[in-house]
Amino acid sequence: MIPNQWYPILQTGDIARDKPTGVRRMGEELVLWRDLDGNLVCQTARCPHKGANIGDGRLKGNTVECPYHGFRFDAEGTCKVVPALGSGARIPASLKLRTYPVREQHGLVWLWWGDDREELPAIELPAELVDNSRPYETISWTRPLHYTRYIESLLEFYHVTFVHRDHWTNNIDYTFMYGTARKLWTDGRDRYLAANRIVNHKVEVDGTTIRSTFDQCEEANPENTSHFNLIYQAPGLTHVKTGLLEITTWLTPIDDENTLAIMRLYEYPMLRAMVPFKPLRPWVLRASLLMERLVQDPQDVGIMLRQEPKVSERGVNKFIAVDEMNAKFLQMRDRLKAEAAAHAEARASEEETPARPADEATPGKATPASRARRTPKPKPRTDDLAEARS
């Protein structure tokens, strides 16, 4: 997991309005809830009293209540009520939940996973997403995979020919992505299976964003070609645009063995002509996303579950030239983790280093404070030691 990043952890609509919402993200149990003004709160879900999961609790005014003993915590994580102690009791300060920064943007709930800062960076998306005015639908699911392997699978498409060739539902891909009108789209499967060579491959890195373009073609028939534009943005965004298809997927760690996938499918350019009745178009997108969740994605997952090692890192793969985007992703992941570690080390060093007294500002000059430190303290007398022990 890369620290000091914004991670999408839920769709906004996944937050229950009348009760807490418990999720596991970044290896930790979290609870999300809204106060009476609708403000979103995200906190560690472990009750500091006896470890119950507060995601199973209730909302009481502007507090969330533990399901075990009714302890109630406010939006800052402070325990406000302990029923067993009564209304006038002094509540120990240690009864506190950690509160995490969260924001709601682009239809998603974003969690800041990093160090405490007075001012957090903005949540930025690639211009290709921000400027995209096409309607979309979004779906999410979880898989028992490490997120690095999941991201790798979406940063190249030359596996598609071999993984998705045998299931009948993939005829939809054959027809719309590779079929030709002169053959009434019946030639889609043959063209689809034949187009597996990558040419015109280019990769560019811009900050924490990697862009790749390439053509996937039939070697014996260069006219059978599909053009791809891929985007990766740290820590876990992938975006693909090819022909009629445009999809954004966010991959967020649940823990070291499981990943949340949030997939957003944009309306096909020709869908308006195919489905003139506007209210039906979202259902077409939802059906396509459901097919991805139930058919295409499990085909990929079946392969990834048997990959070794389970976590992808630099040096464990023997990449070929067209895997440049995968290689850049792993390089960027290492770089961002190293930068976060260096930042944390610098902060820790600053906190441990005591402030220098003003009277020591001149190097080499003896000051009252420095003379006092150099003057040995008298040894305590025997009676002093006896008094101290007593």
Side-chain angles (χ1 to χ4, degrees):
M1 304 174 193
I2 305 173
N4 297 336
Q5 303 287 329
W6 286 105
Y7 286 87
I9 60 171
L10 284 171
Q11 298 182 62
T12 300
D14 292 334
I15 305 297
R17 189 65 182 87
D18 58 348
K19 62 181 181 179
T21 301
V23 297
R24 182 172 176 81
R25 299 290 185 267
M26 318 306 290
E28 183 169 347
E29 298 293 335
L30 303 173
V31 59
L32 295 99
W33 54 281
R34 295 189 186 278
D35 66 16
L36 295 177
D37 295 323
N39 300 311
L40 185 61
V41 181
C42 178
Q43 296 168 323
T44 181
R46 180 189 179 277
C47 181
H49 175 220
K50 290 189 177 180
N53 193 308
I54 295 179
D56 299 328
R58 302 176 181 85
L59 297 183
K60 293 291 183 70
N62 276 327
T63 65
V64 62
E65 182 183 84
C66 176
Y68 201 4
H69 301 96
F71 290 28
R72 290 162 57 181
F73 301 86
D74 66 12
E76 285 70 45
T78 303
C79 186
K80 307 300 288 186
V81 175
V82 177
L85 296 180
S87 58
R90 176 184 175 276
I91 300 176
S94 59
L95 290 175
K96 190 173 180 64
L97 302 179
R98 179 177 178 180
T99 300
Y100 293 94
V102 285
R103 292 179 184 172
E104 297 180 77
Q105 289 183 215
H106 312 293
L108 304 174
V109 176
W110 300 78
L111 167 73
W112 172 254
W113 187 257
D115 53 28
D116 296 328
R117 302 183 181 185
E118 291 185 5
E119 185 174 349
L120 296 175
I123 298 171
E124 297 182 352
L125 297 182
E128 292 87 341
L129 276 66
V130 175
D131 298 337
N132 194 330
S133 60
R134 291 161 62 178
Y136 57 76
E137 291 294 321
T138 309
I139 193 174
S140 59
W141 60 79
T142 64
R143 300 295 188 214
L145 299 167
H146 192 270
Y147 77 100
T148 53
R149 288 300 193 186
Y150 218 148
I151 290 174
E152 278 186 346
S153 74
L154 296 175
L155 297 187
E156 50 90 355
F157 272 75
Y158 65 91
H159 74 269
V160 171
T161 302
F162 303 95
V163 177
H164 303 295
R165 66 196 305 165
D166 295 326
H167 199 284
W168 67 267
T169 57
N170 291 315
N171 281 308
I172 298 173
D173 293 329
Y174 305 153
T175 300
F176 288 99
M177 295 179 64
Y178 289 88
T180 59
R182 58 194 175 95
K183 292 291 183 82
L184 299 178
W185 293 277
T186 59
D187 57 343
R189 177 179 171 81
D190 291 338
R191 287 169 55 84
Y192 175 89
L193 297 179
N196 50 41
R197 185 184 181 189
I198 305 299
V199 297
N200 304 322
H201 181 243
K202 297 179 182 178
V203 175
E204 296 180 352
V205 179
D206 179 16
T208 59
T209 302
I210 307 172
R211 290 180 172 85
S212 173
T213 63
F214 59 88
D215 296 315
Q216 188 165 322
C217 70
E218 179 181 349
E219 188 168 4
N221 179 19
E223 292 184 0
N224 180 14
T225 298
S226 293
H227 183 71
F228 286 78
N229 290 279
L230 300 185
I231 300 173
Y232 166 77
Q233 184 185 62
L237 177 151
T238 69
H239 182 82
V240 57
K241 182 177 182 181
T242 178
L244 304 176
L245 184 67
E246 188 164 8
I247 297 177
T248 302
T249 308
W250 288 271
L251 288 310
T252 295
I254 294 174
D255 50 37
D256 285 335
E257 298 178 350
N258 298 276
T259 298
L260 167 74
I262 303 175
M263 179 173 284
R264 178 164 292 174
L265 175 63
Y266 299 84
E267 188 177 280
Y268 313 118
M270 59 188 298
L271 189 60
R272 293 187 181 187
M274 295 173 61
V275 185
F277 188 52
K278 185 176 179 180
L280 288 180
R281 294 175 203 153
W283 290 101
V284 175
L285 299 184
R286 292 169 195 165
S288 297
L289 285 168
L290 189 62
M291 192 71 69
E292 179 67 29
R293 175 184 176 182
L294 298 178
V295 180
Q296 279 90 351
D297 188 70
Q299 293 170 8
D300 287 324
V301 170
I303 300 292
M304 291 186 282
L305 283 173
R306 295 179 61 81
Q307 282 183 287
E308 293 292 344
K310 300 302 181 184
V311 180
S312 185
E313 297 178 301
R314 295 168 69 183
V316 305
N317 307 300
K318 303 298 182 183
F319 287 140
I320 59 176
V322 295
D323 291 320
E324 184 180 359
M325 192 177 197
N326 270 226
K328 297 290 188 187
F329 152 62
L330 294 177
Q331 292 171 6
M332 181 175 292
R333 179 171 177 261
D334 278 358
R335 174 175 64 83
L336 293 174
K337 289 175 67 176
E339 289 176 358
H343 183 75
E345 185 176 348
R347 282 173 58 102
S349 178
E350 290 176 1
E351 292 173 359
E352 292 174 1
T353 303
R356 190 175 186 179
D359 58 6
E360 292 187 37
T362 305
K365 180 180 179 181
T367 65
S370 61
R371 284 195 296 271
R373 284 198 298 272
R374 289 199 300 267
T375 303
K377 293 182 179 180
K379 294 182 179 180
R381 300 194 314 270
T382 305
D383 55 347
D384 291 335
L385 293 172
E387 184 178 349
R389 292 192 184 100
S390 66

